[in-house]
Amino acid sequence: MKHNRSSLAHQARYALTHPGRVAPHLRRLARDAWLRLRTRDHVAYYRAVMRSDTARSPEGAVGSHSHKRWLALGRMQFDYLREHGLKPEFRMLEIGCGNLRAGRLFIDYLDPGNYYGLDISPDILFSAQDTVVAHGLRDKLPHLTPVRDLRFAFLPDEHFDVVHAHSVFSHSPLPVIEECFAHVGRVMRPQGWFDFTFDRTEGQEHHVLREDFYYRTETLVGLADRYGLNAVFMDDWERLPHKQSKIRVTRRA
């Protein structure tokens, strides 16, 4: 976790040891340059990335390169939250719900109407609707909403017991994360919590293209503190077969 993946030295070593991934990376590099010219900000940029990825594979667009992995990652997220306090009567907000990799399990577990899924990509939300149908979840009345930003302006105060964001901040620059921290406390109930994953580095913070961002834990903990939020690193998540780390945020009393 100390490697700077944006450095030329790291990329050269990676290319030598993974020659089969050079061509896909070059295609990403070309797409990155093209989309930067055509989009005005990071949200618009990543919305375009998701449109491109979803057209090829909705499951691949949310970071699962096989259906088996899609199922496993969804189950991992669900089991962790259920073991750490999630209850059927809770209202849950999932930021970056994608095509409901974990959301389908949350929807099935929660009482009807208690799941709210947001995503900046309308394209992946179309796939989320297909997931609702395929898994027989229509009677659970999930709310699936496209958003322009992470201000949550249309959501009511102190409405959610749980807020969840998996593989969202790993694709977000600090201003996007800060926008979320500035507003998420308003929509959380006083005893609620916000779990998010991020790509952790113990060295220099960096990004690869504008798609993958690596942060030190103390950076995100300090940013949360600035907005009246207590942040705790979730050590037990590190034992699970996932490359990202997890932080839990609560409102300061």
Side-chain angles (χ1 to χ4, degrees):
M1 295 182 182
K2 294 182 180 180
H3 299 300
N4 185 335
R5 295 160 183 80
S6 66
S7 70
L8 292 178
H10 174 81
Q11 293 182 25
R13 288 194 302 269
Y14 192 85
L16 289 173
T17 55
H18 301 84
R21 298 182 183 179
V22 173
H25 180 74
L26 291 176
R27 287 195 292 270
R28 282 183 64 192
L29 188 65
R31 182 180 70 175
D32 173 75
W34 174 247
L35 293 180
R36 284 197 196 196
L37 292 173
R38 294 172 58 88
T39 52
R40 66 187 182 279
D41 56 29
H42 182 78
V43 171
Y45 165 84
Y46 205 75
R47 185 179 292 118
V49 168
M50 288 297 294
R51 182 182 303 117
S52 173
D53 288 347
T54 303
R56 290 198 302 271
S57 166
E59 293 185 359
V62 298
S64 301
H65 301 296
S66 70
H67 185 62
K68 181 178 180 180
R69 184 62 174 161
W70 186 82
L71 293 172
L73 285 174
R75 173 59 61 177
M76 187 189 309
Q77 296 173 57
F78 172 74
D79 287 346
Y80 188 87
L81 257 67
R82 190 177 62 176
E83 292 165 4
H84 288 73
L86 184 67
K87 297 179 181 179
E89 63 269 23
F90 282 2
R91 284 194 292 261
M92 178 179 183
L93 173 66
E94 186 163 35
I95 303 167
C97 65
N99 67 336
L100 303 180
R101 178 171 58 181
R104 64 189 174 84
L105 299 172
F106 294 133
I107 293 167
D108 189 46
Y109 176 74
L110 296 171
D111 291 343
N114 279 9
Y115 177 88
Y116 293 69
L118 309 181
D119 208 289
I120 64 167
S121 169
D123 299 271
I124 201 66
L125 286 177
F126 295 149
S127 180
Q129 293 175 352
D130 295 337
T131 300
V132 169
V133 174
H135 290 269
L137 298 171
R138 285 174 290 204
D139 291 343
K140 285 301 191 107
L141 306 175
H143 307 266
L144 303 175
T145 307
V147 293
R148 298 186 183 91
D149 52 42
L150 296 184
R151 297 178 182 272
F152 318 117
F154 67 101
L155 294 172
D157 293 354
E158 298 188 352
H159 192 67
F160 296 101
D161 301 278
V162 178
V163 182
H164 183 242
H166 185 92
S167 293
V168 175
F169 292 170
S170 53
H171 303 299
S172 302
L174 272 180
V176 172
I177 299 174
E178 183 169 10
E179 179 180 80
C180 179
F181 286 170
H183 299 279
V184 72
R186 179 185 64 80
V187 301
M188 292 167 56
R189 298 187 67 186
Q191 303 305 317
W193 73 82
F194 171 29
D195 279 11
F196 64 84
T197 63
F198 67 105
D199 281 327
R200 180 166 61 92
T201 181
E202 296 173 0
Q204 181 181 359
E205 295 182 328
H206 60 280
H207 63 84
V208 179
L209 305 180
R210 295 293 293 176
E211 296 184 31
D212 303 308
F213 292 78
Y214 296 83
Y215 296 109
R216 292 188 296 272
T217 302
E218 55 267 31
T219 296
L220 300 182
V221 170
L223 189 61
D225 178 72
R226 189 182 306 171
Y227 291 96
L229 303 169
N230 295 321
V232 177
F233 187 80
M234 305 297 278
D235 294 283
D236 58 350
W237 174 263
E238 298 292 297
R239 296 194 291 269
L240 298 176
H242 196 280
K243 295 180 180 179
Q244 295 184 14
S245 296
K246 183 185 285 282
I247 286 175
R248 173 163 291 191
V249 165
T250 55
R251 286 173 51 177
R252 189 170 302 144

